[in-house]
Amino acid sequence: MTSVSIPPVTLVLGGARSGKSAYAERLVEQQAGQRIYLATAGAGDEEMAERIRRHRERRGEGWRTVEEPLRLVPVLEAEASGESLILIDCLTLWLSNMMFADLNVEYEIERLVRCLPDLAGPVVFVSNEVGLGIVPENALARQFRDHAGRLNQAVAAAADAVVFLAAGLPLQLKPQP
Amino acid sequence: MTSVSIPPVTLVLGGARSGKSAYAERLVEQQAGQRIYLATAGAGDEEMAERIRRHRERRGEGWRTVEEPLRLVPVLEAEASGESLILIDCLTLWLSNMMFADLNVEYEIERLVRCLPDLAGPVVFVSNEVGLGIVPENALARQFRDHAGRLNQAVAAAADAVVFLAAGLPLQLKPQP
Amino acid sequence: MTSVSIPPVTLVLGGARSGKSAYAERLVEQQAGQRIYLATAGAGDEEMAERIRRHRERRGEGWRTVEEPLRLVPVLEAEASGESLILIDCLTLWLSNMMFADLNVEYEIERLVRCLPDLAGPVVFVSNEVGLGIVPENALARQFRDHAGRLNQAVAAAADAVVFLAAGLPLQLKPQP
């Protein structure tokens, strides 16, 4: 079997409906191995359930789904292996869950970044860029936007590859082309 | 007369006031032919009337303006010819008009994409990227944002060339440089 | 002493928490000379005070801070010299201050752009891209977004180098790579 090998840590960044998840899925499907879809969405939200359903339909065979809204690091450490490829969809929702649960976001982001070099298999993160609109009037939204920007910067700094998606098309940010 | 030839389908994508329309106009003006400005703005809105006025002032001679808020496909099929170049400004407003008129947006997008390969002359679409801010609190705005993202992805996939504009500067997304 | 030389006018563009300011600071610190941090933030705002504090902590030695919310052109003309490097952080806040003070924004932007070719030393502008979200419901926010887009286009057209930051990673918009 021919197989392309993906780097240890990839970040796929983009706006809403930019094709980030589909791109990340294709990336993982290029490589042989056990594919794990780590969904950070909770069950509750109707829009989220619809999103998960769409993702399930689009993904090919050979994926296992793990749902974990908060405890990202232990799940990554438990699931990563020389045989696995993990797609985390998405960091933005994880952040939102952490803020809702009143966790120490900066500490958790640091923990995530610190666990990455020791994972036994490759991981692909999907995350939203949310900082390119007008400053939100809502203080919580401004705080979320600040955390999201810092989260994206931290994971991008730790990643081997970073791709920005717009209208379904990839733009390579790292390594510099 | 020297003339550059533009590809059959081009998408010019960008934010508000990013210079998308001016870039698309310059693109069309590089090529000889009958220039058609297909405005999807309705007459009603004051801000829109102002926008059309500005565009009219900036455009050089040799443009004919066609206004069509909804029926994009028949107008494209009627106007496209071996002698014409059509600039559609913009897809985002067309989407907004369709949602206001309660049309089946997914069906209309598919119809648009399906008509493109058979058009007799080149078309340049202008469209807004609207998915890079905070999730809107308003459910209709979220729905609009989702449709807009899918519309941009569909047209980008069908296009020969896709350019992203930021601060008036183009970034080529397709073909990959 | 080895020193990289930066072009006369640079624009660093990006979203909230995209790493724009840190990137612009590193750019200035690569070159020998007297470093001036021109802060356009007023004292009043608490979030702003926090931002300035963070910036101060991050910046290395050898910076002098000048605070000027409105009168950007005379300060640039007074401070620029063959020995100086000026970082202006940021244009978006300057715009916001001008709108609050009810100044003629288009006139002030033109004045800024016209002063640039005659400055005696290099300047690096930081600015926010704010036009990639949903159209704001608030009319003032729409007006701000329009002005911000035109300001960024005007400075980008006058600049020798324009860089877009996403997740802390630079994307060169000008000169075209």
Side-chain angles (χ1 to χ4, degrees):
Chain A
M1 186 201 298
T2 335
S3 170
V4 179
S5 111
I6 60 176
V9 180
T10 301
L11 172 63
V12 179
L13 195 67
R17 304 279 85 80
S18 64
K20 313 179 290 298
S21 296
Y23 180 87
E25 289 163 19
R26 288 195 307 271
L27 203 65
V28 168
E29 290 179 346
Q30 282 174 10
Q31 184 168 338
Q34 192 203 3
R35 293 164 198 141
I36 299 169
Y37 181 77
L38 203 172
T40 56
D45 189 319
E46 195 181 328
E47 286 184 55
M48 276 308 140
E50 164 68 13
R51 180 168 303 193
I52 289 180
R53 195 187 55 70
R54 277 193 191 238
H55 282 182
R56 256 186 226 276
E57 279 178 15
R58 189 174 52 209
R59 284 196 306 271
E61 290 298 306
W63 285 85
R64 183 159 61 85
T65 297
V66 177
E67 297 190 22
E68 177 50 56
L70 283 173
R71 300 175 61 257
L72 203 50
V73 171
V75 173
L76 286 177
E77 288 174 339
E79 298 284 355
S81 76
E83 306 301 307
S84 73
L85 303 101
I86 309 180
L87 168 51
I88 299 95
D89 192 357
C90 65
L91 285 177
T92 322
L93 205 49
W94 175 60
L95 170 63
S96 170
N97 296 337
M98 287 196 295
M99 286 179 70
F100 194 72
D102 212 15
L103 296 190
N104 181 334
V105 169
E106 299 197 15
Y107 172 75
E108 297 295 333
I109 292 174
E110 205 190 313
R111 244 183 100 200
L112 172 65
V113 168
R114 260 190 291 120
C115 92
L116 296 178
D118 299 323
L119 292 181
V123 286
V124 177
F125 292 99
V126 171
S127 191
N128 280 69
E129 170 59 56
V130 300
L132 290 159
I134 280 287
V135 178
E137 292 181 33
N138 180 318
L140 189 64
R142 282 201 300 279
Q143 203 189 343
F144 177 77
R145 192 169 86 135
D146 283 356
H147 281 314
R150 293 205 186 96
L151 169 57
N152 287 339
Q153 281 192 52
V155 175
D160 306 285
V162 181
V163 176
F164 187 90
L165 264 278
L169 300 170
L171 195 64
Q172 190 179 313
L173 292 178
K174 186 181 182 181
Q176 293 284 323
Chain B
M1 190 202 294
T2 336
S3 169
V4 179
S5 112
I6 60 177
V9 180
T10 300
L11 173 63
V12 180
L13 196 66
R17 302 279 86 80
S18 63
K20 311 179 292 298
S21 297
Y23 180 87
E25 289 162 21
R26 288 195 306 270
L27 202 66
V28 168
E29 290 179 347
Q30 282 175 9
Q31 184 168 340
Q34 192 203 1
R35 292 162 199 143
I36 299 169
Y37 180 77
L38 203 172
T40 56
D45 189 319
E46 195 182 326
E47 286 184 54
M48 277 307 141
E50 164 68 13
R51 180 167 304 192
I52 289 180
R53 195 188 55 70
R54 277 192 192 240
H55 283 182
R56 255 187 226 275
E57 280 178 14
R58 188 174 51 207
R59 285 196 306 270
E61 290 298 306
W63 285 86
R64 181 159 61 85
T65 297
V66 177
E67 297 190 21
E68 176 50 56
L70 283 173
R71 299 175 62 257
L72 202 50
V73 171
V75 173
L76 286 177
E77 289 174 337
E79 298 286 355
S81 77
E83 307 301 308
S84 73
L85 303 101
I86 309 180
L87 168 52
I88 300 96
D89 192 358
C90 68
L91 285 177
T92 323
L93 205 48
W94 175 59
L95 171 63
S96 170
N97 296 336
M98 288 196 293
M99 287 179 69
F100 193 73
D102 212 13
L103 296 190
N104 181 333
V105 169
E106 299 197 14
Y107 172 76
E108 296 296 333
I109 292 174
E110 205 191 312
R111 245 182 100 200
L112 172 65
V113 168
R114 261 190 292 121
C115 92
L116 296 178
D118 300 323
L119 292 180
V123 286
V124 177
F125 291 100
V126 171
S127 192
N128 281 70
E129 170 59 56
V130 299
L132 289 159
I134 281 286
V135 178
E137 293 181 32
N138 179 318
L140 190 64
R142 283 201 300 280
Q143 203 189 343
F144 177 77
R145 192 168 85 135
D146 284 356
H147 281 314
R150 292 204 187 97
L151 170 56
N152 287 340
Q153 282 193 53
V155 175
D160 306 285
V162 181
V163 176
F164 188 90
L165 265 279
L169 300 170
L171 195 64
Q172 190 178 314
L173 292 178
K174 186 182 181 180
Q176 294 284 324
Chain C
M1 187 201 296
T2 336
S3 168
V4 178
S5 111
I6 60 176
V9 181
T10 301
L11 172 62
V12 179
L13 196 67
R17 304 277 85 79
S18 63
K20 311 179 291 298
S21 296
Y23 180 88
E25 289 164 20
R26 288 195 306 271
L27 203 65
V28 168
E29 290 179 347
Q30 281 174 10
Q31 185 168 338
Q34 193 204 1
R35 293 163 198 140
I36 300 168
Y37 181 77
L38 203 172
T40 56
D45 189 318
E46 196 182 326
E47 286 185 54
M48 276 307 140
E50 165 69 12
R51 180 167 303 191
I52 289 181
R53 196 188 55 71
R54 277 193 192 240
H55 282 182
R56 256 186 225 274
E57 280 177 15
R58 188 174 54 207
R59 284 195 306 271
E61 290 298 305
W63 285 86
R64 181 159 61 86
T65 297
V66 176
E67 296 190 22
E68 176 50 56
L70 282 173
R71 298 174 63 256
L72 202 50
V73 171
V75 173
L76 286 177
E77 289 174 339
E79 298 285 356
S81 76
E83 307 301 307
S84 74
L85 303 101
I86 308 180
L87 168 52
I88 299 95
D89 192 359
C90 66
L91 285 177
T92 322
L93 205 49
W94 175 60
L95 171 63
S96 171
N97 295 337
M98 287 196 293
M99 287 178 70
F100 193 73
D102 212 15
L103 296 190
N104 181 333
V105 169
E106 300 197 14
Y107 172 75
E108 297 295 334
I109 292 174
E110 206 190 312
R111 245 183 99 200
L112 172 64
V113 168
R114 261 190 293 121
C115 92
L116 296 178
D118 299 323
L119 292 180
V123 287
V124 177
F125 291 99
V126 171
S127 191
N128 281 70
E129 170 59 57
V130 300
L132 289 159
I134 281 287
V135 179
E137 293 182 33
N138 180 318
L140 189 64
R142 282 201 300 279
Q143 203 188 342
F144 177 77
R145 192 169 86 135
D146 283 356
H147 281 315
R150 292 205 187 97
L151 170 56
N152 287 339
Q153 281 192 52
V155 176
D160 306 285
V162 181
V163 176
F164 187 90
L165 265 278
L169 300 169
L171 195 64
Q172 189 177 315
L173 292 178
K174 186 181 182 179
Q176 293 284 322

